[in-house]
Amino acid sequence: GGIITQTPKFLIGQEGQKLTLKCQQNFNHDTMYWYRQDSGKGLRLIYYSITENDLQKGDLSEGYDASREKKSSFSLTVTSAQKNEMAVFLCASSRDWGTSAETLYFGSGTRLTVL
Amino acid sequence: GDSVTQKQGQVTLSEDDFLFINCTYSTTTYPTLLWYVQYLGQGPQLLLKVTTANNKGISRGFEATYDKGTTSFHLQKASVQESDSAVYFCALVASSGSWQLIFGSGTQLTVMP
């Protein structure tokens, strides 16, 4: 088995602040993802990384940057926090980018609050 | 583009009640349809997968089926327990050559003891 660790669990920032969320996985998976979860809106893909040196934009990438520092870690940066940004950010991984991508393994999330 | 609609935002049942959650989808190919479950304080986890090949998936007492004619897929369980309280998401694999998952908005299931 493996685990996805997201830090911090809770993040409080000021409007306009640059904030970074971190994710580590020990599955040895190739592909990692960042999703945003808003109440009543499901999960929306922000960024994903197919392999260690890859970075792809999802449907919700505007206002965010991402970085795949190494195979096991994937960071997300909120470039300028906005009050309507309050949500739970979920990191996930899959074995690779293929049929294995149907099975995502999620972390427990970082809850962002913007004051 | 591909889309998934999950209209039941909240469902409240009593223990031993029958559960039925429905999603509709729009895609240009034969889809792979998924159900994920998210327990309180955790990330979502894959519960079931349904493909055009098998038409049905079964896991942990849950059954998922799909209806190509109405482009809908369903999650059901004959007798729910309090421990089944969670958020259930339907999802499909994008048809654009990408392996991106398209998620529905989720159904919060609360099972009363």
Side-chain angles (χ1 to χ4, degrees):
Chain A
I3 191 168
I4 295 201
T5 303
Q6 291 188 238
T7 54
K9 287 191 183 301
F10 300 93
L11 181 56
I12 300 175
Q14 302 289 330
E15 198 167 17
Q17 192 175 359
K18 182 176 177 180
L19 301 167
T20 298
L21 293 69
K22 294 189 179 294
C23 176
Q24 295 266 352
Q25 55 98 358
N26 65 359
F27 288 99
N28 198 35
H29 284 170
D30 284 340
T31 307
M32 296 185 74
Y33 311 78
W34 276 105
Y35 282 89
R36 174 174 161 159
Q37 181 174 16
D38 295 274
S39 178
K41 290 188 179 178
L43 307 176
R44 292 181 288 174
L45 186 62
I46 306 172
Y47 268 97
Y48 62 105
S49 170
I50 295 175
T51 60
E52 185 173 342
N53 296 312
D54 176 76
L55 201 58
Q56 304 282 342
K57 292 183 177 181
D59 298 329
L60 206 64
S61 63
E62 189 172 336
Y64 302 95
D65 285 327
S67 173
R68 184 85 181 266
E69 296 88 2
K70 50 186 177 180
K71 186 174 183 178
S72 62
S73 65
F74 194 32
S75 297
L76 180 73
T77 298
V78 181
T79 55
S80 178
Q82 303 299 314
K83 284 203 173 177
N84 63 3
E85 203 118 46
M86 290 188 283
V88 175
F89 292 83
L90 292 165
C91 177
S93 71
S94 63
R95 192 177 67 194
D96 54 37
W97 186 246
T99 53
S100 300
E102 297 166 359
T103 305
L104 299 182
Y105 296 84
F106 283 90
S108 56
T110 293
R111 182 175 293 276
L112 174 64
T113 301
V114 181
L115 302 177
Chain B
D2 301 316
S3 67
V4 177
T5 302
Q6 191 172 358
K7 289 189 176 179
Q8 296 160 282
Q10 297 204 11
V11 172
T12 301
L13 297 172
S14 298
E15 278 196 322
D16 298 324
D17 279 352
F18 173 71
L19 170 69
F20 184 86
I21 301 174
N22 181 64
C23 282
T24 57
Y25 66 89
S26 173
T27 183
T28 57
T29 63
Y30 296 105
T32 295
L33 304 164
L34 310 164
W35 286 97
Y36 274 76
V37 58
Q38 183 179 28
Y39 299 102
L40 189 64
Q42 299 180 23
Q45 56 186 270
L46 181 64
L47 177 61
L48 283 169
K49 179 171 85 169
V50 183
T51 67
T52 53
N54 61 21
N55 290 346
K56 181 186 289 190
I58 298 175
S59 175
R60 304 188 229 170
F62 289 88
E63 182 176 311
T65 57
Y66 96 103
D67 184 334
K68 185 181 171 187
T70 59
T71 62
S72 62
F73 59 122
H74 324 293
L75 180 71
Q76 60 188 56
K77 188 177 186 186
S79 176
V80 293
Q81 302 303 304
E82 193 176 357
S83 58
D84 293 324
S85 297
V87 180
Y88 292 82
F89 294 96
C90 54
L92 67 80
V93 181
S95 64
S96 56
S98 162
W99 290 98
Q100 179 180 335
L101 300 189
I102 312 298
F103 284 90
S105 54
T107 297
Q108 170 71 61
L109 171 65
T110 303
V111 181
M112 310 296 289

